[in-house]
């Protein structure tokens, strides 16, 4: 299950699909990214952040692990951002959170008291090395205004635990994480 299809989040998906028969689900507006994961819309070049000392070890780890060379996913099952609960184990509820990517979604798990935020809100920005709830830098954000607007649906989940795509889980509640992200702004 993908919240979005940037290059650094799809690495194992095609292998799991092909070798293990795992069905890969993706938000319908991000399906083109599953086939071309490096062709994503962003507001600023990643090179604008290359000088930041906090980003260097993260980018080096991504390079070592070949994250910049993902295998495209040949076959995905699309889901809509207004789909509601998906018919998979855990019955995650789709929460539309566009902005990071055009089709980005979060997945709420109300019975577990958690929301998988993906990159709608992270606790570690890989482009700056900054820690704490925030939006990912403009080098990986398609539309910052939509990304900020998408924080509200995350807060409305009222999940005690937020699971970001980058960084440590946030156990202080989705509402508090959103408030901190709004104050942090975007790099």
């Amino acid at each position: 299950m993908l919240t979005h299809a940037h290059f650094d989040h799809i690495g194992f998906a095609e292998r799991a699909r092909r070798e293990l028969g795992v069905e890969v689900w993706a938000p319908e507006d991000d399906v083109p990214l599953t086939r071309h994961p490096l062709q994503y819309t962003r507001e600023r070049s990643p090179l604008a952040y290359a000088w930041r000392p906090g980003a260097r070890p993260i980018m080096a780890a991504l390079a070592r692990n070949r994250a910049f060379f993902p295998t495209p996913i040949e076959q995905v099952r699309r889901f809509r951002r207004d789909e509601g609960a998906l018919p998979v184990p855990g019955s995650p509820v789709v929460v539309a959170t566009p902005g990071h990517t055009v089709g980005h979604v979060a997945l709420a798990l109300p019975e577990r008291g958690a929301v998988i935020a993906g990159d709608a809100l992270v606790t570690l920005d890989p482009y700056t090395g900054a820690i704490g709830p925030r939006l990912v830098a403009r080098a990986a954000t398609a539309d910052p205004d939509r990304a900020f607007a998408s924080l509200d649906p995350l807060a409305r989940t009222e999940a005690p635990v937020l699971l970001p795509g980058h960084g440590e889980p946030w156990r202080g509640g989705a509402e508090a994480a959103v408030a901190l992200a709004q104050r942090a702004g975007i790099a």
Side-chain angles (χ1 to χ4, degrees):
M1 183 89 44
L2 301 172
T3 60
H4 68 293
H6 272 170
F7 68 94
D8 58 330
H9 290 275
I10 69 163
F12 182 69
E14 176 57 19
R15 185 173 173 198
R17 186 196 69 77
R18 191 179 60 252
E19 294 179 16
L20 303 174
V22 173
E23 187 172 45
V24 178
W25 291 60
E28 68 180 348
D29 291 331
D30 274 7
V31 168
L33 281 175
T34 66
R35 294 184 182 91
H36 306 283
L38 293 173
Q39 295 178 359
Y40 60 92
T41 304
R42 56 183 163 244
E43 191 171 84
R44 188 176 292 158
S45 168
L47 297 176
Y49 300 89
W51 59 272
R52 296 186 184 229
R56 287 186 199 139
I58 298 165
M59 293 300 150
L62 287 170
R64 265 193 318 276
N65 290 300
R66 300 190 46 79
F68 297 115
F69 306 100
T71 302
I73 306 170
E74 291 184 22
Q75 186 176 31
V76 297
R77 179 162 176 185
R78 298 168 183 255
F79 64 90
R80 296 181 326 274
R81 62 175 99 167
D82 64 351
E83 187 120 354
L86 296 175
V88 298
S91 302
V93 177
V94 179
V95 179
T97 53
H100 176 61
T101 63
V102 174
H104 193 285
V105 300
L107 299 168
L109 301 162
E111 292 183 18
R112 302 281 186 190
V115 61
I116 300 169
D119 286 357
L121 185 157
V122 298
T123 57
L124 169 64
D125 183 343
Y127 292 89
T128 65
I131 296 173
R134 65 193 61 250
L135 295 181
V136 175
R138 295 171 193 273
T141 298
D143 184 339
D145 291 336
R146 288 183 83 190
F148 275 110
S150 288
L151 292 174
D152 292 335
L154 272 181
R156 284 194 298 271
T157 68
E158 299 180 358
V161 177
L162 187 138
L163 304 169
H166 298 279
E168 295 296 318
W170 177 264
R171 290 175 169 64
E175 293 173 277
V178 164
L180 289 168
Q182 288 168 330
R183 279 196 293 274
I186 185 169

